[in-house]
């Protein structure tokens, strides 16, 4: 069952700019900001017709405050509710949304709002990027994973049965509005899964932040308001710094894929139904850490710290038993493969990772099914 808020936080609004020249935008982080959506959107000059893409799970909590805010600001919102789940992040759902937008006479100055987690954000962004060759969209992330990761950076897309996010684009939102209070209605498993991406930022970029997580994980799991706001803010600062330097993943941005190569394979081979994305990423990070240790890049103590933090959070770290041939086939369809040579982000120490090219199948096999 969702956990209801026990306190209201009056922290000031945190503003983080993602610097991308004409595509620059702000991430605004503030408890209660979900009630001020319309007020924040007036600055953009959108047409009055605006769409809210969500799912029933999120909608029962947050459609009403968003709609009311939009109506107060003079907008005419239309609701597009789609089924909840990673398995619905596909072209069939996208086609249905296109059809409804056409019937509702959305034009190039009409905007879409992604009200939900990573699946909603990815689908909405992909629709916005491709409908009429591009209309504006806004992210209102309602899961921890979306707040710290997927809502920022403009990666949008959908899955194919053969692999995750194989169809997509880089398409930046106009604004990200993040309300930490919505996490109080997030199921505990989803909250834990989001913390995997939080840990990722510590490993790839900020050893001090990783140590802060180790010290504060108990309060974080209790949904301490000040911890949550700092945690979200720091992750968004890191991602904004990375994205501002490398929008389309030509170099530095690749570090954000730490844990994702194996994590995506796990999701694909279990039909997106057995593991949450963050759970698969947690397993993938540990597998990448073990591979790095076997390659003499990452020492045993640091690997143990990573494993201990993930276990303390309540995340899985052991690879499921899957056919190694299928595992390897799926990994080699990953977007990071170049000329059939696998590239993976591997840790050198907490706070620093490197991109390793041409990882051999034998090395992978020792991680996937150790002797």
């Amino acid at each position: 069952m969702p956990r209801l808020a026990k306190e209201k936080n009056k922290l000031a609004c945190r503003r983080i700019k993602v610097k991308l020249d004409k595509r620059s935008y702000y991430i605004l982080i503030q408890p209660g900001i979900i009630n001020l959506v319309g007020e924040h959107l007036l600055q953009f000059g959108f047409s009055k017709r605006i769409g809210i893409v969500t799912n029933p799970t999120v909608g029962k909590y947050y459609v009403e405050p968003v709609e009311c805010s939009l109506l107060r600001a003079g907008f005419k919102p239309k609701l597009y509710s789609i089924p909840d789940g990673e398995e619905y992040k596909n072209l069939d759902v996208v086609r249905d949304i296109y059809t409804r937008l056409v019937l509702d006479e959305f034009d190039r100055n009409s905007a879409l709002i992604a009200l939900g987690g990573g699946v909603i954000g990815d689908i909405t962004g992909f629709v916005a990027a491709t409908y009429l060759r591009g209309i504006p969209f806004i992210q209102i992330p309602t899961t921890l994973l979306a707040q710290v990761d997927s809502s920022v950076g403009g990666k949008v897309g959908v899955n194919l049965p053969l692999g995750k996010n194989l169809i997509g684009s880089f398409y930046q939102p106009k604004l990200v509005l993040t309300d930490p209070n919505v996490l109080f209605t997030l199921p505990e498993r989803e909250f834990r899964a989001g913390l995997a991406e939080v840990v990722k930022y510590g490993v790839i970029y900020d050893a001090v932040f990783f140590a802060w997580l180790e010290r504060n994980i108990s309060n974080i799991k209790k949904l301490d308001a000040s911890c949550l706001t700092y945690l979200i803010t720091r992750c968004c600062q890191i991602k904004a710094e990375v994205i501002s330097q490398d929008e389309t993943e030509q170099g530095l941005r690749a570090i954000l894929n730490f844990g994702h190569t194996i994590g995506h394979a796990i999701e694909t081979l279990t039909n997106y139904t057995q593991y949450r994305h963050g759970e698969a990423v947690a397993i993938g990070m540990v597998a990448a850490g073990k591979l790095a240790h076997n390659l003499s890049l990452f020492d045993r103590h640091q690997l143990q710290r990573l494993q201990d933090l993930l276990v303390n959070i309540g995340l899985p770290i052991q690879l499921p038993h899957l056919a190694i041939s299928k595992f390897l086939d799926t990994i080699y369809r990953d977007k990071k493969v170049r000329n059939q040579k696998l590239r993976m982000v591997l840790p050198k120490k907490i706070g620093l990772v490197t991109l390793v090219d041409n990882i051999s199948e034998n090395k992978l096999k020792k991680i996937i099914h150790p002797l």
Side-chain angles (χ1 to χ4, degrees):
M1 293 292 291
R3 295 167 293 170
L4 300 179
K6 296 181 180 179
E7 59 179 311
K8 295 296 182 183
N9 198 339
K10 297 181 180 179
L11 293 174
C13 183
R14 310 284 183 95
R15 294 166 60 90
I16 301 167
K17 187 174 184 178
V18 182
K19 299 176 183 178
L20 295 170
D21 297 323
K22 292 181 179 179
R23 296 179 308 286
S24 296
Y25 57 96
Y26 282 97
I27 307 162
L28 304 184
I29 304 166
Q30 185 179 27
I33 202 169
I34 200 164
N35 299 299
L36 304 172
V37 174
E39 176 181 315
H40 284 288
L41 298 195
L42 285 173
Q43 62 182 300
F44 296 104
F46 298 145
S47 65
K48 296 304 180 184
R49 197 179 305 278
I50 194 165
I52 304 170
V53 183
T54 190
N55 63 47
T57 305
V58 175
K60 67 182 177 181
Y61 293 108
Y62 300 117
V63 163
E64 183 178 357
V66 171
E67 282 187 327
C68 288
S69 176
L70 291 169
L71 289 167
R72 286 197 305 270
F75 291 103
K76 297 178 181 179
K78 297 286 291 185
L79 181 63
Y80 303 109
S81 185
I82 64 177
D84 185 11
E86 182 79 31
E87 62 269 34
Y88 297 104
K89 195 173 111 175
N90 59 53
L91 289 171
D92 290 334
V93 171
V94 167
R95 184 180 61 246
D96 290 343
I97 298 174
Y98 288 150
T99 301
R100 294 165 71 181
L101 293 177
V102 172
L103 293 174
D104 289 332
E105 300 180 337
F106 270 59
D107 59 35
R108 285 182 173 172
N109 200 37
S110 303
L112 292 178
I113 293 173
L115 177 63
V119 171
I120 291 293
D122 283 1
I123 290 175
T124 306
F126 183 74
V127 169
T130 50
Y131 180 74
L132 300 179
R133 296 192 174 92
I135 64 174
F137 85 109
I138 299 90
Q139 291 270 19
I140 306 179
T142 60
T143 66
L144 180 61
L145 189 147
Q147 289 186 351
V148 301
D149 193 72
S150 63
S151 68
V152 179
K155 273 190 176 181
V156 299
V158 294
N159 303 329
L160 292 177
L162 292 175
K164 183 165 179 173
N165 295 329
L166 292 180
I167 301 175
S169 180
F170 291 96
Y171 193 71
Q172 302 297 338
K174 293 294 183 182
L175 182 68
V176 181
L177 297 174
T178 296
D179 188 338
N181 281 349
V182 305
L183 299 179
F184 289 108
T185 57
L186 190 67
E188 186 174 352
R189 183 181 178 186
E190 294 289 349
F191 182 76
R192 289 198 309 266
L195 285 173
E197 295 282 3
V198 175
V199 171
K200 177 192 78 175
Y201 286 110
V203 177
I204 68 172
Y205 205 84
D206 190 343
V208 174
F209 180 56
F210 188 94
W212 179 86
L213 292 172
E214 290 175 310
R215 295 193 306 272
N216 289 278
I217 194 59
S218 177
N219 285 333
I220 292 167
K221 290 195 291 186
K222 293 175 184 176
L223 303 185
D224 176 83
S226 60
C227 281
L228 289 180
T229 299
Y230 170 71
L231 177 154
I232 295 165
T233 301
R234 183 60 191 136
C235 291
C236 288
Q237 286 172 338
I238 292 170
K239 189 158 189 181
E241 289 173 20
V242 172
I243 299 303
S244 295
Q245 296 176 64
D246 179 19
E247 180 182 5
T248 58
E249 203 171 300
Q250 302 304 306
L252 178 64
R253 183 169 180 164
I255 69 173
L256 297 171
N257 294 318
F258 175 58
H260 285 62
T261 298
I262 290 175
H264 283 173
I266 293 169
E267 290 180 276
T268 299
L269 291 172
T270 56
N271 298 313
Y272 308 107
T273 57
Q274 187 172 338
Y275 293 93
R276 298 293 189 269
H277 175 66
E279 293 169 342
V281 168
I283 296 169
M285 287 192 292
V286 171
K290 290 178 178 178
L291 179 58
H293 177 67
N294 289 351
L295 294 172
S296 301
L297 292 173
F298 195 47
D299 72 46
R300 171 61 64 181
H301 171 68
Q302 304 235 353
L303 174 59
Q304 193 64 51
R305 286 180 66 194
L306 172 59
Q307 292 181 128
D308 288 348
L309 180 55
L310 293 171
V311 169
N312 197 5
I313 289 169
L315 288 165
I317 63 170
Q318 298 297 328
L319 279 161
H321 189 80
L322 297 166
I324 195 163
S325 59
K326 291 182 178 180
F327 221 125
L328 291 172
D329 285 347
T330 305
I331 287 173
Y332 276 91
R333 284 195 294 266
D334 189 274
K335 298 183 296 300
K336 293 168 283 299
V337 170
R338 299 289 187 274
N339 298 317
Q340 286 300 300
K341 294 181 179 179
L342 180 62
R343 310 165 78 220
M344 284 183 65
V345 181
L346 299 181
K348 297 181 73 174
K349 62 180 181 179
I350 299 296
L352 179 65
V353 292
T354 187
L355 190 61
V356 178
D357 291 309
N358 200 16
I359 294 172
S360 71
E361 283 193 12
N362 285 335
K363 293 291 185 182
L364 277 176
K365 287 177 180 178
K366 289 180 181 179
I367 300 302
I368 295 170
H369 287 312
L371 296 176

